[in-house]
Amino acid sequence: MTSDYEFLRKLLKESSGLDLSTDKQYLVESRLMPLARRAGLPGIAELVAKIKSGSDALTSDVVEAMTTNETFFFRDKLPFDHLREELLPALVQARAGRRSLRIWSAASSTGQEPYSIAMCVKEFAALAGWRIEIIATDLSQAVLEKSRAGIFSQFEVQRGLPIQMLVKYFAQVGELWQLNADIRAMVQHRQLNLLQDFSHLGTFDVIFCRNVMIYFDQDTKAGIFDRLARVLEPDGGLALGAAESVLGISDAFKPYPDRRGLYHPNPARAARAGAASAMKAVAAR
């Protein structure tokens, strides 16, 4: 393994949490060679040298090029079924007094996930007149800008989006499709690194954190799960990707029965945390 590859592995781990194994050198070359050429550099070695010389902009471009932004509307279908059939009906009853919901799409990429959530909410008649906040966050500013625009290609809208929703919620603009303003207005976009503190976002009723944990090592996953548990309401739900699980990593969440990939905060863990806080407060007096 070359020293340049080891440098890039360390850089990506520290800046984004991406944990590249030793056999992924081909992936670095395929994604970073086009970036090197755009920067007028002949190869990866020169790219690394320029980063080492203090090019913050190039460092940011490397992280953006290496973090995967594969996504499509209603990806994996199951989490959106859980949202419609399990989470929203329960939350409509539990939040009837305040008539508001907050939903977070972490690692939201180019917007297909938060906008799929927005369309689910829009279709849910019992939520008419409620205040709905959907927060979409991603490490990459470029994908957030694309998401804000809400403009998608024919290929993108054909991936997972039911035709009736395309007709109902999109307008054709030449060969592209733009989401209607009312759906776009339901989603707020913010740049965020999941490795950093996100308590300032406030608390949520539902969190979608899908297809991002697979890139982190076990300790990083455990830390993020712990912090997610702190910003999720006790009766809220956490949706993970099809290849992800909290089991064997953290006791901060428990699986919903018969709802694969859906979790709720572990009340026993929360009770222990509360007791520990109370003991600290007593000791500090």
Side-chain angles (χ1 to χ4, degrees), residues 206-226:
V206 179
I207 297 175
F208 274 55
C209 187
R210 304 174 59 236
N211 307 306
V212 63
M213 292 289 194
I214 50 175
Y215 301 107
F216 300 149
D217 63 25
Q218 295 294 84
D219 288 345
T220 304
K221 288 177 188 175
I224 293 173
F225 281 135
D226 285 354

Side-chain angles (χ1 to χ4, degrees), residues 88-164:
L88 292 181
L91 288 167
V92 161
Q93 291 191 337
R95 306 291 185 267
R98 74 180 200 209
R99 290 173 61 82
S100 68
L101 283 181
R102 299 191 80 234
I103 302 173
W104 179 17
S105 169
S108 59
S109 191
T110 46
Q112 285 91 326
E113 180 177 274
Y115 288 132
S116 296
I117 293 168
M119 285 183 273
C120 284
V121 168
K122 193 81 168 174
E123 298 270 303
F124 204 82
L127 289 171
W130 282 46
R131 184 168 60 84
I132 309 294
E133 277 187 89
I134 300 170
I135 310 295
T137 68
D138 199 277
L139 180 65
S140 166
Q141 191 61 50
V143 299
L144 289 171
E145 285 168 13
K146 176 172 166 51
S147 180
R148 273 193 198 96
I151 297 173
F152 300 93
S153 68
Q154 184 71 37
F155 173 72
E156 287 170 324
V157 297
Q158 284 175 332
R159 297 185 77 198
L161 184 68
I163 186 67
Q164 66 270 25

Side-chain angles (χ1 to χ4, degrees), residues 3-5 7-8 32 41 43-53 58:
S3 59
D4 288 341
Y5 181 58
F7 171 81
L8 289 167
L32 296 190
L41 301 167
I44 303 295
E46 292 77 11
L47 184 73
V48 167
K50 189 150 187 182
I51 291 170
K52 285 179 177 176
S53 73
L58 207 49

Side-chain angles (χ1 to χ4, degrees), residues 31 60-73 105-115 136-152 156 179 184 187-193 212:
R31 293 195 181 177
S60 177
D61 289 344
V62 164
V63 172
E64 205 148 286
M66 288 303 301
T67 47
T68 306
N69 292 313
E70 165 72 0
T71 185
F72 48 92
F73 287 101
S105 169
S108 59
S109 191
T110 46
Q112 285 91 326
E113 180 177 274
Y115 288 132
T137 68
D138 199 277
L139 180 65
S140 166
Q141 191 61 50
V143 299
L144 289 171
E145 285 168 13
K146 176 172 166 51
S147 180
R148 273 193 198 96
I151 297 173
F152 300 93
E156 287 170 324
L179 265 163
R184 296 202 311 272
V187 178
Q188 302 171 36
H189 295 84
R190 299 183 197 173
Q191 189 174 20
L192 182 83
N193 186 336
V212 63

Side-chain angles (χ1 to χ4, degrees), residues 4-19:
D4 288 341
Y5 181 58
E6 186 54 40
F7 171 81
L8 289 167
R9 284 184 71 203
K10 188 166 183 289
L11 174 76
L12 289 162
K13 177 75 185 297
E14 289 173 354
S15 54
S16 70
L18 182 62
D19 189 29

